[in-house]
Amino acid sequence: MRNGSGHPKRIDFGSGLVNTVISSKLFREGDIAVLEDLTIIDLTDERGIYGAKLLSDLGANVIRPEPRDGDPLRKRGPLHETNDPDLASLWYAFFASNRRFFSLSLEDENECQALQHLISRADIILRCDNHFTEPVIDTDTLIKENPNSILIDMSSFGKVGPWKDYLAPDLVAGALGGSAATTGDFDTPPLKGFGELNFMVSGAYLAIAALSALYERGESGSGQSASISVHEAIASCLEHVFMFYWYAETLDRKEGKVLPRRGALHWSDAYDVMKTKKGSIMITPTPDFDNQLMWLIEEGVQEDLIDPKYLEPENLRLRVDRSMEILRKWALTKEAEPLFFEAQSRHAPYGWVLPLEELMQNPQLRARSWFREQSIEDQTVECPGAPFRLKREGEEIKLPLAAHVGPNEHKEQLLKEIGWDAK
Amino acid sequence: MSMVGPLSGLKVLDFTHVLAGPFATRILGDMGADVVKINSQTRAIGTQDATHPYYLMWNRNKRALAIDLTTDEGKEIAFELCLKADIVIDNFSVGVLDRWGIGYEKVRQINTDIIYIQMSGMGEGGPWSNFVTYAPTIHALSGLTISTGVPGREDIGLGFSYNDHQAGLHGAFAVLAALEGRRQHGKSQRIDISQFEIGCGFLGPALMDLSVNGNTAGPSANDLPFDQACPHECYRCLSSTADANQTVSGEEWIAIACMNDEHWEKLTNLIGIADWAAIMKLDSVEARLQHKNEINEKIEMWTSQGEAYTLMELCQNAGIPAGVVQNGADLIENDPQLKSSHFFSKLPDTHPDLGEQYLDRLPINFEKYELNDYRRVRVIGEDNEAVMKDWLDRGAEEVKTLEDNEILK
């Protein structure tokens, strides 16, 4: 425990300028959040926006500047019909949730100064390089003027090195970062994950870096900057890839140091997506091979798996391969949905390849009230919620979800809060 | 043993296993937290075996304390450790820590600002709460499998345990958010993380599209699922080695992503198809998507004659987003960017049984700390004496007795 038996000491930042100057919250009176005393300026693009979302969805006061003629991310699909083109993007409604927007023109000196004022007083600045404000707003200097500030900088490849200026949208980032080489099958090209899964990784690291620096500020009394390379972030999340290279001798696999892409078949060979009479299902005989064998025996399809040779430790791989072979044939006689529930009732970690329509109605998500309602213009939209449920001293904390609004909606309020003369 | 970093001094009691939980605590340990990993000889099987390469990947920068939690005395020691911890984290199914007598409700009565993070597959509550899951299970259930691949196939999905990494990242994030919550409120907190909900969240815009517009997103291969970009594909390059078996080994690929008309124009000039593109009137993305197959053929005619890294350099120098499809060997051996940032290294401390170990470092660079003091994975129980001293002020003799009695085993 730090500082004796109590919780970490609270640093008094002198004027307490952040929390008193920018005090108004996006949420309604009575809403409870986790990070409500935190003010963050969100200068991210698609590479980091998920990190800003993680923070704003826990109640931080996150202000997102936008160009007056519109954030290009407001055009991202999927779209929905609306009278206001600024609110058409469901992508933006999801990823820019719980933000307050501050639109400005870089040619308007007063607006730029107001943004400088906001930045210089924020707890945390999240910034992706090449942000639209860069030509006019010198964030680095502003940060230096406030020693309590935390700046988290994100770039595709870092600030130095031979690839520092390379362009990397998600497809390219995933190719260079190593995720594409593992995804796809022998008869397809390397594939990207759905949407921008690579940037979901870099975004998560952005949020982690911000809160780590915040924790450290609570101890040391001063902020700091930190930087993240999207390229490194992706490479750090490749499960078996480096293990295969570094420990090839121990693993003793015929594939050597690099496992080629091979559909859904897991590196261990013991998990795969299999076809059934109706739908597909991920089947594995692990972690309890005997449990699986008993089930196959009940069904009379065990074939030679009862041969004692499969129990010999040196025949483990043989047992895995033979089990999977039999399971593939067996799955073709089943339907995915009932097979999934039967497996789970036997504590076997099968996974039904759920169609998205089923996901919308999923009883687990519904029971945990995961979907939440988000107001967009005059519509109420079902929106995925946070993956966290929080209790403080046993009391459940409800995470609010504010209405999604246009780029000018919060500007007057924000200027008023900081006592800025809008003229 | 804990390192100097932004989380120095933070005490984390780690009951996690496999990948998701250990990855979360690895991140915390990388940043200087004192992570005490609880394992035991009886639980050390499969990926929990401290000599398994998989274990070696996710458990660096942690101290190893062996406790037999099937014994009453072992449970009592675990309880005492919980009273000293800032963070208790597990990724068991719901309720396991309660059954061991070290659940949140019991511990918070004494350790009043304790933070518990539970990273179960399905989260607490709900009809699927007790379902058993691994990352491939979550991929299948959350929509990640059905949406990743090529149209008409459901058996591709992600080729690695993506969601386990994300669960780890979210676990570390939750710890840090709870620490800030504790700073603000000074109260105990419990965070229940559903790995299933993490996975489903990545389908967020697709689920909203389904809800609002009735559209069901399917696998879109390398195309963008909701927006337009063309060309936007991986292309075969000149193979580095003979590929006699017609397998994917030896293949070289490059990803090229023209995100706007300017990228396309530059690409047509670079590969010498500007006249053809003009005749075909491909100056808009809509037109290009109509002729996607012909465009891809033209590009692959060019890429198949060149070496992937050379082509990438040509593209990037011309302002066209492009990147080699790098595998593990490429990343470790060929990637000059990762070399320049010393992303990979050999651990200085050789493992007594396993020899040299390697690492990919935390991809966060803090201004105040150079996080380059990485520690190797420890043998089960290797830090019994040090941890019992540091956390519970127990002496060496007492620890020896507990080891002899197979409590700390």
Side-chain angles (χ1 to χ4, degrees), chain A residues 327-404:
Chain A
L327 288 167
R328 283 190 187 92
K329 279 194 282 183
W330 178 61
L332 287 170
T333 68
K334 302 285 185 180
E335 292 185 0
E337 182 179 358
L339 182 60
F340 164 64
F341 287 108
E342 173 68 18
Q344 286 290 348
S345 74
R346 295 167 179 263
H347 307 293
Y350 287 21
W352 175 18
V353 179
L354 272 184
L356 296 194
E357 294 90 340
E358 295 282 348
L359 206 53
M360 286 299 295
Q361 306 307 323
N362 183 267
Q364 180 66 13
L365 297 175
R366 293 288 167 190
R368 283 171 55 87
S369 305
W370 182 67
F371 286 103
R372 291 181 296 166
E373 290 188 339
Q374 186 177 30
S375 167
I376 307 177
E377 210 173 22
D378 54 353
Q379 296 185 62
T380 301
V381 176
E382 275 208 311
C383 181
F388 312 110
R389 291 177 83 178
L390 306 100
K391 283 183 181 172
R392 184 181 297 149
E393 289 201 327
E395 181 193 358
E396 179 123 5
I397 298 172
K398 300 284 184 198
L399 298 173
L401 180 57
H404 182 57

Side-chain angles (χ1 to χ4, degrees), chain A residues 128-143:
Chain A
C128 291
D129 64 350
N130 301 317
H131 190 260
F132 85 94
T133 56
E134 262 182 32
V136 173
I137 311 284
D138 183 357
T139 309
D140 294 302
T141 302
L142 291 170
I143 296 301

Side-chain angles (χ1 to χ4, degrees), chain A residues 2 185 197 231 239 245 368, chain B residues 8 54 153 197 333 335:
Chain A
R2 318 192 74 151
D185 210 341
L197 293 181
H231 185 46
E239 202 201 6
Y245 186 88
R368 283 171 55 87
Chain B
S8 290
Y54 205 70
R153 287 183 62 177
E197 290 171 4
E333 294 173 5
D335 186 319

Side-chain angles (χ1 to χ4, degrees), chain B residues 92-210:
Chain B
F92 293 118
S93 297
V94 171
V96 171
L97 295 192
D98 290 315
R99 288 199 290 278
W100 287 341
I102 53 172
Y104 168 70
E105 291 299 337
K106 184 176 173 187
V107 170
R108 81 178 177 94
Q109 304 301 324
I110 303 171
N111 188 351
T112 56
D113 59 4
I114 185 70
I115 293 165
Y116 265 61
I117 309 288
Q118 178 182 274
M119 303 171 58
S120 64
M122 288 288 159
E124 187 172 346
W128 291 13
S129 178
N130 293 320
F131 281 11
V132 186
T133 68
Y134 289 87
T137 320
I138 299 291
H139 289 173
L141 293 172
S142 66
L144 286 168
T145 298
I146 205 163
S147 61
T148 294
V150 296
R153 287 183 62 177
E154 295 181 349
D155 62 341
I156 296 180
L158 296 157
F160 61 107
S161 292
Y162 174 85
N163 207 71
D164 266 355
H165 282 289
Q166 279 288 8
L169 291 165
H170 283 71
F173 170 75
V175 165
L176 296 161
L179 286 168
E180 173 60 12
R182 185 173 77 172
R183 190 186 69 80
Q184 291 184 13
H185 302 283
K187 295 176 179 174
S188 72
Q189 292 159 88
R190 181 173 176 276
I191 301 190
D192 162 28
I193 297 177
S194 159
Q195 297 185 36
F196 177 47
E197 290 171 4
I198 291 170
C200 293
F202 300 125
L203 274 293
L207 293 175
M208 291 172 77
D209 191 27
L210 181 57

Side-chain angles (χ1 to χ4, degrees), chain A residues 64-86:
Chain A
R64 183 172 171 84
E66 291 191 16
R68 190 183 285 166
D69 54 357
D71 188 328
L73 296 182
R74 283 190 184 267
K75 296 184 173 62
R76 279 288 186 91
L79 308 174
H80 72 128
E81 275 190 32
T82 171
N83 296 323
D84 184 350
D86 282 331

